[in-house]
Each structure stands twice: as C-alpha cells, then as structure tokens.
Amino acid sequence: MAAAADFCRLNLVSSSNTPNRLLNAANFTRPGSLGLNEVELQFHRKNYLSTSELGLHQKRRRGLRVCCQAAGAGVQPKTAPSDTDLEFAARVGKDRLLKVPSSNIRNFCIIAHIDHGKSTLADKLLQMTGTVESREMKAQFLDNMDLERERGITIKLQAARMRFMYNNEAYCLNLIDTPGHVDFSYEVSRSLAACEGALLVVDASQGVEAQTLANVYLALENDLEIIPVLNKIDLPGAEPERVSREIEEVVGLDCSNAIYCSAKEGIGINEILSAIVQKIPPPQDTAERPLRALIFDSYYDAYRGVIVYFRVIDGTIRKGDRIMFMASKKDYYADEVGVLSPNQLQVDQLYAGEVGYLSASIRSVADARVGDTITHYSRKAEESLSGYKEATPMVFCGLFPVDADQFNELRDALEKLQLNDAALKVHIPFQEEFLSQKPQVPWDLALDVGFLVFFIWKFQERLEREYNLSLITTAPSVVYRVNCVNGDTVECSNPSLLPEPGSRRSIEEPFVKIEMLTPKDYIGALMELAQDRRGEFKEIKFITEIRASIIYELPLAEMVGDFFDQLKSRSKGYASMEYSFIGLPSLIVIWARNLNCFLIDTNLEYCTKGSELTLGAFVFSKLCIHIVSGDGRACIGSKVIASEAISAIRKDVLAKCYGGDITRKKKLLRKQAEGKKRMKAIGRVDVPQEAFMAVLKLEKEVL
Amino acid sequence: MLLKSTFVPLFTAIPARGHPGKLSVSSVRNAVAQRCPPTSRQNGSSNTTSLLLLHKLPPTSAYIHLPFCRKRCHYCDFPIIALGSSSSNPGDDKDDPRILNYLETLCREIKATKLDSSNRPPLETVFFGGGTPSLVPPRLVSSVLDALSYKFGVCSNAEISMEMDPGTFGEGKLKELMNLGVNRVSLGVQAFQEELLKACGRAHGVREVYEAVKIVKSCGVENWSMDLISSLPHQNLSIWEQSLQLTIQAQPTHVSVYDLQVEQETKFGVLYSPGEFPLPSENQSAEFYRVASRMLRDAGYDHYEISSYCKSGYRCKHNSIYWKNKPFYAFGLGSASYVDGVRFSRPRRLKEYMDYVQNLENGLTNCSEDDIFDAKDLAMDVIMLSLRTADGLDLKSFKEAFGDSHILSICEVYRPHVESGHVICLDGQGRTIAVNEFLSSFSNEFWRNEKLAYLRLSDPDGFLLSNELISLAFSAMAP
C-alpha cells in the first residue's frame, strides 16, 4: 500500500495548494504505480486514471521490465520529487518540534555497509521532510566531524527528528544513525535498541556485506521491523533482483516489498518515508512510568560538557530535572533538553518514545556511557535497561611526542580526548612530582593508549590535527594474559609489565572470530591472508553462487594493523569482514622461552615459518617493544634479531651518485638525519617513524 | 689498505702501447706537466693533505657528459637528449647536427673554464658518462680530448673511461676510441633477460649484450666494467642469480650493481611504487643485494664500494676521486663539478646550458658565489662519501680536520650498530677490532687515537642500511 498512501499525501499537497498541482501529483504517482499489484492498480484506476492511461502504463511497464519484475510488487518510483513537494515538505518540517501522540512516533535507524549510501540517504530523508533546507544542506549531514566528512565514512552516530505528513496526520520520525564501521558493534546494538524499526540499505550493484549482515542479525535480535531498501538503482551495474534474492537467501528477509531507490537522485525517498510510517510499529505509550532513557551516544562539548543523546523508553524528562545515570551512579541537573533535527533544538520536555539530547554539565564521557540508563534522581526506575557493557579497549599502543617538550600538551590532549571518547583509555604512568621535574629518560614519556581495534589512526590524526602535536606511534599491540606460577593472572599490554620469567607459567593471547564475505574469485587470496596471520580455518559456505562467507579464528594481534587493508587490497575492495571476540578462555597457550621478551619470542617462532609480510610486521612490533619497554636493547634480545629487524624494514642503499653529483643524495640524507634528531627526543630509537607507519599503513608518504 | 694510489703501475702499461693520432700530439703539449715529478704532489694530496684543504687543490679529474641516447630508458631521469632510431646504425658517417652542435658547445665550455695559472696539473682521469657516449662519433670524442689536453693536459697514463651501450658500437668504433686513449669501458648491460630489457625500455636486446662483450674482448680492452641493475620489475631471485652468473662468466674486471631507484618523473615512477608488485619487495631487493655481494665476492671480486666490485687492482680511479671527496671538473649538460670547494650543477636543459656556456665565455658566470666555507658541511660530505667504500672513514685524517669530539659522538651513535655488526671498526693495519674492545674502550680518547683508525659499514648488511647509518652519523654531527 505504500504507493497508495503516498498518493493520498500528494493529494493533500495539491488540495492544500493550488488545484493545478494535481498534475504534478499525478505525474509523480504515475511511475510509482508501475510496480503496483493488481489491487492497487484498481484503486488507481477507479479513482484517477482512465483505462487508456492504464494501457499506456502497461506498455511502459514492459519497457521497464528489468526494473520491475524483480521484486514483483515492489515500489518502483522513477522520478525525483519536484520542487513544490519540497516546498510543502519544508513547511511541514518547520513544525517538527510540535508534539505528536506517541502512536505517531516512528523511531528507526539505517543499517548499511560503508559506501552503500547510508549518509546520502539520510541526507535525502532530511531534505524531503523539510528538516534541512536545501540551501543549508552540506553533503552528508549526519557525519558531524570534519574527519568523517573528509573520509566519507561515518564514525560517530547522530540523530535527526523529522516531521512527515501521512494521511493528513503528522508523524514524528526519528532517524538514529548507526556507525558504519566494523569496530562499533556495541554502539550499533545500543542504537538499534533505541529503535522499533530499521531500513536495511543495500547497494543494488554490490550486495550484502559482512558487516551489514551482522547488524541485521543484531536488529532481528532486537525485534526490529526491517524494511529492505535497494539503493543506487540508477547505476548502470545495478542488479536489484539479484541483490533482492541475495538478501532473501542470506538474511531470510522477505524482499517482495523491497523499495528501489537512488538516494543520490532522490528516487524512492517518499516511498521509504511512507513505508516507515506504515510498517514500523509506534513506541509504547509509557509516559507515566518512572523515567528510563537509553543513552545511544554521547560526546564532549568544550563549553557545555558531555552532551548525551538518548531515547526515552519510559516516563518523561523535563528541563531542570535532577537525573541520574544508573550505571555510573552519577547525578546531574539537566540544564538543557532538546531534540536533534539534526541541529540541537531546545524543548521543555520529552516523553516516552521520543529521541533527544540533554546537557547537564557532565564532566566526563565515562559518567554517561553509551548503553547507560537515565532515570530521575527522586523517582528512580527499578531496573536499568538491559544491554549495558563496559568498554574494554582491546588494542594498545604507545604514543610519544616527537618533541619531548610537548609531553605535557600530549597528556592534556589525551585527557581531553578521554573525556570525549569512552573507548579511549589512557594509562599515564607518572606522578605529578615526576613530571614537574624534567624527565631524564625520554622513553619514560610513553603513554599507553588503549583503543578499539581499527581506530588508532583516527586518534593520531585527531591529536595531530586538533592539538597540533607531532607524534610517534608504536605499532599496536594487544593485551596478553599471563598465568603465574602462584595462580595469579596478569594482563599485560606492554612487555614492561610482564612478570618475572620465573614466576610465569604461560601466556595467553586474545583471539577473534572473523567472518569475511567475498566474491568467490578472492576466496584463495583471503584464505591465504588468514592463514598467514596464524588463522585457523573454521568454515566456508557459499551464500550465493558467486559470494562466499569464510570464517576463521585468529589472534587479535594479527588483526590489528593492516589486516583490514590487506583484506581490501587482496580482494580489490570487494570483500568485507566482521569480527567478534572469542575472548581469552579459548586461547592458545604460548610458552615464552626468551626470558626478556615474550612477544619477540612467540612471534619469532612463527616468523620462521611465516610469510615475509608477517615477518616484517613482527619485526616492527619487536622494535616497538624495544622502545616501549624502555630498557633498551636488553629487551630486543640478541644481535641477530636486531639486524634482521632493520634490514627487513628498509633496504636503504645510497643510489648511484651519478657523475659525482652528490648534492641531491646529501639533501635526502640530511632530511633523514633531521628526522633522527627529532627521534633523539624519545631515546634510542633505531627505526624512524616511517617504519611504524608502514606497519599501520597509515599513509604512503611520510616526511 | 688499498687506499693509496698503489695501482698506478697497472695502468701505465696501457698507454705505453703507444697512442697514435691525437693524444700523442697532446701528450707532447703536456710533456712539461708530466715530467714534473708527479708523485710527490699527487701522492701527497691523498696522504697528507688535510681534508680541509683537499678540495682546494686543482682537480685532476674531469667528467664529460655526453647526453645522447636513442631513447629514454623507463627508469632514467638523467639529463639526456633522445635522438630517436636515426642514429642507431653504428658506422654512420654523417654526424647528427644535434651531436655536432652540442660537442662544439662542450668544447667551448672546456676552453672557457677559468684556471689557476700557477698550478696546472694534468688530468689523471677522464670519464665520459651519459646518456650513451658511445653514440658520439669517435672523431668528436677526439675533439673533446683535444680540448681537455689543450686546457689541462692529460697524463699519458690517465684512466679514460667511457660508458657504452650494447648495440651502439662495433669493433671499428671501439678500436678508434681506444686509439684516442679510451682505456676503460663501462658496458651498460643492465640485465641478461630479453623481457627485463624490454621492460626497462632499453634500446638493445640480449643478443647485442653478448656481441658487445665479444667486441670489448676482441678489441683487447683490459679494464672494463659491466653495469647491472637490480630490483627491476618482475625480477626474481633466480633471474637475478642468472644475471650475476652470466656476468661472472663474461669476466669483466669491474662490475657495478645499481639498485633500481624509482624516480618520480620517469615512466617507472608513474607505473610503479617501490616495494610493490611488480617491483620486488624491499626484503627481496635486500636479498638481491646480499646475493650479488656473495656471488661476486666468491668469484674473486672485491666489493670496494656500495655498488662497485672489481678484480684486484681495477678500482675505478675516477669514481674513487668522488669517494675521497677530491675535486673534479665536469663539463656538459647537467653535470656536477666540485672545484675550489664548490659543488656546481650545470643546467639540465640544453637551451639553458647553451646560455650558461655563453655567459661563461663572456665571463659572466660566477660559480663560486655562495662560497661560504662550512667545515661541518665538508665533514658530512667526507662521511657520506667514505662510508660508501670498503675502506671506510679514515678517523685519523677526519680528526685532524674536524676534531675528536665528532668522532666520539659518531662512535656513540654507532655503538648499537657496531654491536649488531652493521658497522665495523678497524685498526691502523686494517684489522677488525673486536666488538667488546670497542664497546669498553671507545669513550677513551687515548684508545681512539692509538687503536681506532677506520669505521666502515659491513658488507652486505651495513651497506644495505647505508642511508640509515650515514644519516645517523649526520645527526651525531649536528646535535
């Protein structure tokens, strides 16, 4: 009934404006009717269309067969909405702060793979509902950070409240954006928990990706109504019917009503909006219960403290309320309550079902973590909402300022970032009095920073960009668990924390399970990659004739760094992956032979049989240990290792000094020496920053 | 130690066969210069002249750039002039006007060079580099040699090298060149595989390589070098070993092995990224280097400089001038000279070069404008150049010129690399000093003075990291 409903709305458009708009409305509906089933066609014929026009439609229908036959009764709009529609929408959009009954609220999110057009679709939804006027439209509105917009990927999620007229009734639609990256499955799960429905957006020219799949399963677990949307149907390579079949086969979702759209061209947006109203259930009306609101995002604002984004599950929240975060047990006064549309707009209260933000001069993101429940201080809810998890950084790396004098700046910056981002954990191992003196040993300045798996570059870049620091990052390492002879277990992210050799019994290493989805041509290359990284093969299955899912278990240490890049490059960008921790218990136990450096040792053992690439990567981590651990060469072991290490990193021969022309070479060497001088600030570093960078594969050009 | 000019006698044999034609004329002109007891001054310069003054001596070497090539090789970013296929047939009597004009300008540059009249030692080495110098007709090469003889004089036993590409010369041409005095040939073979030569955009194939070797041998060129490039696209270890094997079989007295540098402005720079397929990975390239070092040394070659190998006594005298930071003239498009302590690069474009020569003749060019002497700069040159060689850095003369404090700081930064075996310490007799002795004693000034005589990079691992290690020494120089 999607198209029919749409028609009514457009009818409203025409009636509320001049009569000649009817033509517009009809024009708009006509393509929409192409894919309608018989009942709907009759509905149209009876009301608006002559029989001859229907005949015309049928002719056109044949012409558009490719497009239409796929989903059978899917909605196939062809044209973009006209300006008048937008004008009307803009008027409606101006009223978006008005309250609607909770039965007219729809909370939904978009599940999509990177580049499948989620942000573009979100932009179009905002535009079509008049939430954002065309002139203030920046591309990809939902991506708030500059960094994200530059890279075209979404890291942090945002929300948007929209107003949509449907059957003469005003609806309030809340779009909650989900992060599109494989690292954020917890955040995604919280966003999903704040919704009743989800749009599953799949690129009609590509198909279902691993990460989409994982998020769809999450959505299904959360009992969300899922509306499949095939995006980018305007591309020449679009194969909506194949992709529909793939969704049906892989996800098990009925795609007979899948919406074909092109967010870029604005095709199918109204159909999507209508489907949201029709299919997604409204939230429960529980405004009378004690307040429970689910935090699905928070960020740090330099002026107002932490801004919390939440969905009210039960009860009502008003400006000025004394609120409490149930997990962190912190209480604050809500100075400001509002909705996101997509800018923050203040309101007086929000009741069950609504989505909004609050600011309460909260000092640290850790006080209001994603997944936490907000309740009233005076009228506490009995139980917090389920699903809250503490963030546990899995990957660690050392950060050094290139210039030792910048150490305090770095520390301050990291502390600020830590307030800003709950996923970041900084271990600052120094006392104030120590810092008040000039540190004697430069490598003491290493800060241990914990991250989610793939986002090290993000932090480094933010630090360099926002705080103007130049940094040296060691290769990332993971947390190892050391079982001691006396029965204790010690978690180490850094070899310098390693217990004495005599007291160690064994060392365990964290593992992850990865699922890679790939076109069948790259199966070999990806299996080779996983094997190279000490992966243990688990399963391979063909999800369609041409796409396969490969499941491996491999050490987390192997996955940090360039695994994702390798996956992408070996599959020419076609493969995608999803990982989950299988935790420490199922670990392989590795015995450390060399007393000083377990990482070196365990890795070396592997290196001897591993590929060249892996060897290179491990060699780096060895050198990093060399720096991080601080006791210099004692840690690096024998000479042989050191020599191996350097030559694997760079073959560094002076080129032919042609005809005695040494000036160019000398310039180069001086530059290299310049880099060294900076390195001296951090102590005995034998390998320049490029080397670390190479592991991280951050950038090709350095220095 | 092979440092000193001990191989002179080996070369005297060649010119002694007699030079008919032009050189004999010029040798008469030089007679005075040659009869001046050369040994005291020349030997003196390498033995006792302070590094601080070395570059002030009048040069005894000249580099001549002959930029003509049939076409540009895909890796090449030198200043060259591509002639096209027209001049590919050797023995063509008609001189290409481009060559003719260029050589005329070149000779004018030589003539216009200002000289310190009081001290005018004859040239001991001349190096014709390119480009493809063997494309230049011998008659014109002769005019250059004449100009040099006239201007500076050329020793009768001078080393006169020429770079020659396979397929650009026949027996007749080489004989002619030898008669002019060319006594060392540097054969630009680069690879022994048809597909690799093609991939490099070389103008010759494998057949021409073998022919060229045959010609060089049949003409009796005693001292000749084979030049190879490692890390070419699609090169793998077995291909590389094959090239080395064939090189050894050809029995050159000298082998140069250059690791491919992918320069940005070249076709390779557009097509490839270093270390990425189809170029060998860094580790593979490093392995190629090690293999070359091992195979050539096993075959009796001395690895005397990072990219040079030779049979005993066949070091390239001209290149050794560079490594010793001695002064040298240079003439021609884009060439770099080192005279009076000033390094000067000529314009790389023909038009600008022509203008430069014009100005030089009119006395308008002043090469030594930024002649601000900087000892640290000089010390860096000395380090950079001497560490390329197997002889290494002569600490005694270095200390005399620049002071002991630099040596101490270099020892300090090299300490871990001495331990790891990348840097080797030698005593005055060229014997390796044990690592432990170095570690325990290097901070002792007396020990440094008495025992520690040379620092060198180890072969091959130290050489492989030369950039790293040299820049490390640089950073020790300028804290």
Side-chain angles (χ1 to χ4, degrees):
Chain A
M1 292 301 286
D6 200 81
F7 201 87
C8 292
R9 179 182 167 246
L10 288 157
N11 198 14
L12 176 94
V13 176
S14 45
S15 61
S16 66
N17 293 290
T18 51
N20 65 359
R21 292 279 153 76
L22 187 64
L23 191 64
N24 266 331
N27 271 345
F28 184 63
T29 317
R30 194 178 292 148
S33 67
L34 288 176
L36 294 179
N37 60 32
E38 200 49 41
V39 183
E40 284 167 321
L41 277 172
Q42 274 171 7
F43 167 80
H44 279 280
R45 182 165 50 189
K46 221 188 294 173
N47 289 284
Y48 304 101
L49 301 170
S50 72
T51 329
S52 62
E53 268 186 280
L54 181 68
L56 175 76
H57 281 173
Q58 280 168 339
K59 258 186 233 156
R60 275 169 82 179
R61 186 176 184 164
R62 270 194 296 278
L64 282 169
R65 193 165 346 161
V66 183
C67 209
C68 301
Q69 72 189 165
V75 187
Q76 328 307 333
K78 202 176 125 250
T79 50
S82 66
D83 289 347
T84 44
D85 294 327
L86 288 174
E87 271 171 38
F88 171 71
R91 263 195 298 284
V92 175
K94 289 226 169 64
D95 297 332
R96 59 190 187 271
L97 292 186
L98 295 182
K99 295 288 176 190
V100 296
S102 70
S103 60
N104 282 10
I105 296 177
R106 299 290 183 270
N107 294 321
F108 70 101
C109 59
I110 305 177
I111 297 171
H113 188 69
I114 294 172
D115 284 346
H116 281 197
K118 181 178 67 172
S119 300
T120 316
L121 177 59
D123 289 350
K124 268 288 164 358
L125 292 176
L126 297 184
Q127 211 176 348
M128 282 299 298
T129 55
T131 314
V132 177
E133 285 179 40
S134 306
R135 64 189 149 80
E136 34 172 43
M137 199 71 197
K138 279 188 244 172
Q140 306 203 342
F141 213 96
L142 283 179
D143 297 350
N144 206 3
M145 295 164 73
D146 288 347
L147 188 64
E148 291 167 34
R149 192 168 294 120
E150 273 169 34
R151 288 182 181 247
I153 65 164
T154 311
I155 301 168
K156 297 292 281 187
L157 51 164
Q158 306 272 304
R161 179 183 175 120
M162 296 172 271
R163 190 179 174 87
F164 179 61
M165 295 303 287
Y166 178 79
N167 278 351
N168 274 332
E169 265 187 81
Y171 285 84
C172 166
L173 311 184
N174 286 310
L175 164 60
I176 297 173
D177 197 18
T178 52
H181 200 276
V182 53
D183 243 14
F184 289 105
S185 61
Y186 172 68
E187 278 80 354
V188 172
S189 80
R190 295 305 84 204
S191 295
L192 294 176
C195 302
E196 279 83 28
L199 299 177
L200 167 62
V201 178
V202 180
D203 186 331
S205 63
Q206 291 188 23
V208 183
E209 300 293 346
Q211 193 194 321
T212 325
L213 204 53
N215 290 348
V216 172
Y217 289 143
L218 265 179
L220 289 171
E221 273 171 36
N222 281 316
D223 276 334
L224 262 52
E225 178 67 35
I226 295 173
I227 303 172
V229 173
L230 299 179
N231 195 10
K232 306 197 186 180
I233 52 156
D234 59 310
L235 291 185
E239 299 175 87
E241 63 273 44
R242 174 182 70 76
V243 175
S244 295
R245 225 178 314 124
E246 194 174 296
I247 298 175
E248 283 179 349
E249 283 166 28
V250 179
V251 191
L253 208 62
D254 177 21
C255 282
S256 55
N257 288 313
I259 301 171
Y260 289 11
C261 92
S262 162
K264 188 165 144 256
E265 300 297 328
I267 301 168
I269 306 300
N270 266 307
E271 286 71 9
I272 292 172
L273 288 166
S274 305
I276 290 168
V277 172
Q278 286 178 325
K279 292 191 182 166
I280 296 177
Q284 287 178 314
D285 184 6
T286 52
E288 298 313 314
R289 293 193 199 165
L291 172 66
R292 284 203 300 177
L294 173 68
I295 302 179
F296 61 85
D297 192 17
S298 62
Y299 76 95
Y300 186 82
D301 180 290
Y303 302 103
R304 298 182 295 168
V306 177
I307 308 294
V308 179
Y309 292 178
F310 60 90
R311 145 85 196 267
V312 186
I313 305 284
D314 297 323
T316 308
I317 184 167
R318 284 178 200 81
K319 186 176 170 180
D321 283 356
R322 187 171 186 187
I323 51 160
M324 195 182 106
F325 299 102
M326 295 180 79
S328 66
K329 304 266 188 291
K330 297 279 166 59
D331 66 288
Y332 292 94
Y333 287 96
D335 307 331
E336 190 183 323
V337 174
V339 296
L340 297 147
S341 189
N343 301 316
Q344 295 175 354
L345 301 170
Q346 291 201 37
V347 296
D348 290 331
Q349 60 171 333
L350 291 169
Y351 57 82
E354 289 190 287
V355 173
Y357 75 94
L358 69 84
S359 130
S361 312
I362 304 162
R363 218 186 70 80
S364 161
V365 171
D367 292 352
R369 279 255 303 126
V370 170
D372 201 348
T373 307
I374 308 171
T375 191
H376 278 125
Y377 186 74
S378 48
R379 190 188 170 206
K380 289 190 184 71
E382 282 171 15
E383 261 180 70
S384 59
L385 298 161
S386 58
Y388 177 77
K389 268 196 286 185
E390 283 291 340
T392 40
M394 298 303 290
V395 179
F396 290 83
C397 89
L399 280 183
F400 313 79
V402 163
D403 178 357
D405 295 339
Q406 279 192 329
F407 176 76
N408 284 327
E409 284 166 57
L410 171 65
R411 196 183 50 147
D412 294 347
L414 281 171
E415 277 176 350
K416 272 185 211 152
L417 276 182
Q418 200 174 9
L419 294 179
N420 191 325
D421 201 315
L424 174 75
K425 264 190 186 169
V426 185
H427 169 63
I428 300 176
F430 322 112
Q431 306 292 321
E432 279 304 320
E433 60 266 34
F434 173 79
L435 285 169
S436 59
Q437 305 151 13
K438 203 103 175 123
Q440 296 298 308
V441 206
W443 28 253
D444 272 348
L445 298 180
L447 291 178
D448 241 352
V449 184
F451 297 99
L452 292 167
V453 175
F454 288 117
F455 275 80
I456 291 171
W457 57 262
K458 183 189 131 191
F459 284 100
Q460 175 162 18
E461 208 166 303
R462 278 187 69 182
L463 284 169
E464 297 197 340
R465 179 198 297 249
E466 293 173 24
Y467 297 93
N468 204 13
L469 296 165
S470 42
L471 296 175
I472 288 165
T473 328
T474 64
S477 67
V478 301
V479 186
Y480 290 76
R481 179 187 289 173
V482 185
N483 296 315
C484 298
V485 179
N486 62 11
D488 289 353
T489 54
V490 180
E491 309 226 317
C492 299
S493 58
N494 178 326
S496 64
L497 305 172
L498 198 65
E500 284 303 303
S503 60
R504 298 201 298 255
R505 195 158 45 94
S506 63
I507 295 169
E508 296 174 348
E509 191 182 13
F511 264 62
V512 287
K513 178 176 150 187
I514 59 165
E515 178 172 13
M516 302 180 276
L517 285 196
T518 173
K520 66 176 191 307
D521 299 352
Y522 308 111
I523 293 174
L526 295 187
M527 288 180 75
E528 194 190 327
L529 170 67
Q531 298 286 6
D532 282 353
R533 304 302 175 92
R534 294 191 282 155
E536 192 183 322
F537 175 75
K538 287 291 165 197
E539 195 184 349
I540 181 164
K541 55 186 178 204
F542 278 83
I543 51 178
T544 64
E545 303 105 74
I546 53 160
R547 282 160 61 82
S549 146
I550 315 169
I551 297 176
Y552 266 89
E553 287 182 6
L554 81 173
L556 177 61
E558 298 281 352
M559 206 182 66
V560 300
D562 70 338
F563 187 86
F564 195 65
D565 285 355
Q566 280 291 326
L567 175 97
K568 283 289 176 194
S569 77
R570 292 194 189 196
S571 65
K572 304 211 164 80
Y574 283 111
S576 61
M577 67 169 278
E578 166 69 22
Y579 70 87
S580 56
F581 291 103
I582 28 186
L584 288 154
S586 59
L587 300 183
I588 292 175
V589 176
I590 300 168
W591 291 90
R593 275 180 320 183
N594 186 316
L595 307 182
N596 280 327
C597 40
F598 71 99
L599 290 177
I600 292 172
D601 211 54
T602 53
N603 294 333
L604 249 187
E605 227 173 350
Y606 175 66
C607 286
T608 50
K609 39 188 177 135
S611 69
E612 205 174 11
L613 188 95
T614 321
L615 176 71
F618 275 119
V619 164
F620 285 119
S621 64
K622 271 184 275 182
L623 287 162
C624 297
I625 290 159
H626 172 184
I627 305 159
V628 175
S629 63
D631 57 317
R633 280 159 294 116
C635 209
I636 198 140
S638 71
K639 285 178 277 193
V640 186
I641 293 172
S643 113
E644 278 268 329
I646 303 175
S647 61
I649 291 155
R650 42 169 46 207
K651 161 206 65 168
D652 214 1
V653 192
L654 279 164
K656 186 174 183 179
C657 281
Y658 194 78
D661 185 3
I662 65 164
T663 39
R664 201 161 121 201
K665 203 71 210 174
K666 190 172 164 198
K667 220 169 167 180
L668 233 115
L669 288 173
R670 288 190 100 150
K671 210 166 164 189
Q672 204 168 328
E674 200 54 41
K676 289 245 153 41
K677 256 195 283 174
R678 297 195 296 161
M679 297 301 275
K680 273 215 258 178
I682 63 153
R684 306 178 75 102
V685 184
D686 293 316
V687 185
Q689 175 73 355
E690 298 100 283
F692 302 124
M693 293 298 214
V695 173
L696 289 169
K697 288 274 153 75
L698 294 185
E699 267 167 303
K700 280 210 157 160
E701 289 171 280
V702 222
L703 272 178
Chain B
M1 289 313 299
L2 292 162
L3 234 188
K4 322 295 160 358
S5 45
T6 46
F7 16 70
V8 176
L10 278 161
F11 291 94
T12 48
I14 309 156
R17 279 184 203 152
H19 292 281
K22 304 259 160 50
L23 195 69
S24 57
V25 179
S26 54
S27 43
V28 173
R29 284 192 203 117
N30 297 330
V32 182
Q34 280 172 39
R35 287 204 194 108
C36 299
T39 43
S40 66
R41 193 201 63 79
Q42 283 156 16
N43 287 351
S45 67
S46 57
N47 282 338
T48 57
T49 310
S50 160
L51 289 172
L52 289 169
L53 299 173
L54 204 54
H55 58 274
K56 295 281 183 196
L57 293 174
T60 57
S61 295
Y63 172 80
I64 313 290
H65 193 65
L66 300 177
F68 306 99
C69 286
R70 281 178 291 182
K71 59 177 198 167
R72 188 180 278 279
C73 300
H74 297 340
Y75 51 81
C76 166
D77 74 335
F78 297 140
I80 67 146
I81 297 169
L83 296 172
S85 51
S86 60
S87 61
S88 58
N89 41 335
D92 189 348
D93 279 349
K94 240 176 68 200
D95 293 335
D96 189 309
R98 288 169 289 184
I99 301 182
L100 215 55
N101 288 340
Y102 174 82
L103 274 125
E104 193 220 313
T105 315
L106 181 77
C107 291
R108 276 167 48 210
E109 188 195 355
I110 295 171
K111 282 172 194 142
T113 302
K114 281 196 223 90
L115 276 186
D116 177 6
S117 55
S118 64
N119 196 351
R120 219 191 266 200
L123 297 177
E124 290 163 31
T125 72
V126 176
F127 195 100
F128 290 97
T132 311
S134 47
L135 282 176
V136 176
R139 195 172 57 74
L140 298 175
V141 173
S142 154
S143 69
V144 176
L145 283 169
D146 276 350
L148 289 173
S149 307
Y150 184 78
K151 184 81 183 180
F152 311 104
V154 178
C155 283
S156 60
N157 61 355
E159 176 193 273
I160 301 177
S161 304
M162 182 177 273
E163 292 186 337
M164 305 184 86
D165 275 10
T168 60
F169 64 97
E171 208 162 309
K173 192 178 202 173
L174 183 54
K175 277 256 161 70
E176 263 185 87
L177 289 166
M178 288 172 74
N179 286 338
L180 294 172
V182 173
N183 50 24
R184 185 175 180 279
V185 168
S186 183
L187 200 59
V189 167
Q190 320 308 7
F192 280 93
Q193 294 76 23
E194 208 70 71
E195 39 326 326
L196 288 193
L197 291 172
K198 214 168 182 177
C200 298
R202 296 288 293 171
H204 63 83
V206 176
R207 197 170 52 88
E208 283 86 353
V209 168
Y210 289 115
E211 271 170 18
V213 171
K214 222 164 85 190
I215 295 166
V216 168
K217 291 193 156 180
S218 67
C219 288
V221 180
E222 186 196 329
N223 185 6
W224 66 285
S225 174
M226 191 173 266
D227 298 349
L228 298 175
I229 299 182
S230 66
S231 304
L232 289 171
H234 301 286
Q235 203 172 39
N236 61 34
L237 193 59
S238 63
I239 291 179
W240 179 234
E241 282 174 342
Q242 184 193 28
S243 284
L244 290 166
Q245 202 54 55
L246 292 167
T247 302
I248 291 165
Q249 276 168 25
Q251 296 180 305
T253 48
H254 189 282
V255 181
S256 295
V257 178
Y258 299 114
D259 186 67
L260 178 71
Q261 304 284 313
V262 179
E263 305 289 351
Q264 266 177 356
E265 304 293 306
T266 62
K267 186 167 177 188
F268 273 13
V270 174
L271 290 178
Y272 309 129
S273 313
E276 284 178 19
F277 186 81
L279 295 181
S281 69
E282 290 229 324
N283 284 346
Q284 280 173 308
S285 301
E287 191 53 29
F288 291 175
Y289 188 87
R290 293 198 187 91
V291 165
S293 170
R294 194 192 65 229
M295 285 177 69
L296 291 170
R297 279 185 297 157
D298 287 351
Y301 289 89
D302 175 21
H303 193 176
Y304 73 100
E305 190 263 343
I306 278 179
S307 45
S308 313
Y309 300 81
C310 69
K311 292 273 186 190
S312 172
Y314 286 93
R315 289 191 183 198
C316 177
K317 278 167 73 183
H318 182 84
N319 285 341
S320 300
I321 296 289
Y322 301 152
W323 316 143
K324 287 176 190 163
N325 203 33
K326 287 187 180 177
F328 53 90
Y329 295 113
F331 304 101
L333 191 67
S335 63
S337 61
Y338 182 43
V339 181
D340 276 337
V342 178
R343 294 192 186 273
F344 175 75
S345 291
R346 278 141 199 80
R348 289 168 63 97
R349 288 165 189 272
L350 190 57
K351 174 77 180 60
E352 289 161 28
Y353 171 68
M354 299 276 190
D355 292 345
Y356 157 80
V357 173
Q358 186 71 51
N359 288 338
L360 190 71
E361 285 174 326
N362 299 339
L364 296 172
T365 309
N366 184 12
C367 289
S368 54
E369 44 200 286
D370 49 345
D371 191 10
I372 306 149
F373 178 75
D374 178 7
K376 198 174 272 172
D377 219 39
L378 185 65
M380 284 184 180
D381 285 1
V382 171
I383 290 173
M384 165 177 166
L385 295 167
S386 62
L387 285 181
R388 289 184 66 110
T389 64
D391 300 334
L393 177 63
D394 181 347
L395 296 174
K396 193 158 176 272
S397 56
F398 191 85
K399 183 177 64 195
E400 275 163 17
F402 309 108
D404 184 55
S405 66
H406 287 316
I407 295 192
L408 180 59
S409 44
I410 290 171
C411 285
E412 269 162 6
V413 298
Y414 275 172
R415 182 193 157 129
H417 304 283
V418 171
E419 264 184 290
S420 65
H422 288 90
V423 176
I424 296 172
C425 311
L426 304 171
D427 65 13
Q429 280 72 49
R431 290 178 305 229
T432 306
I433 297 173
V435 174
N436 286 336
E437 186 182 345
F438 170 82
L439 292 178
S440 56
S441 321
F442 79 85
S443 50
N444 178 338
E445 191 180 346
F446 178 76
W447 181 84
R448 283 203 305 279
N449 286 338
E450 291 304 306
K451 190 76 188 274
L452 190 59
Y454 297 95
L455 281 178
R456 62 156 292 187
L457 307 186
S458 65
D459 176 19
D461 286 340
F463 280 157
L464 260 173
L465 287 173
S466 53
N467 277 2
E468 181 68 26
L469 295 168
I470 291 170
S471 55
L472 200 61
F474 278 15
S475 68
M477 292 285 303

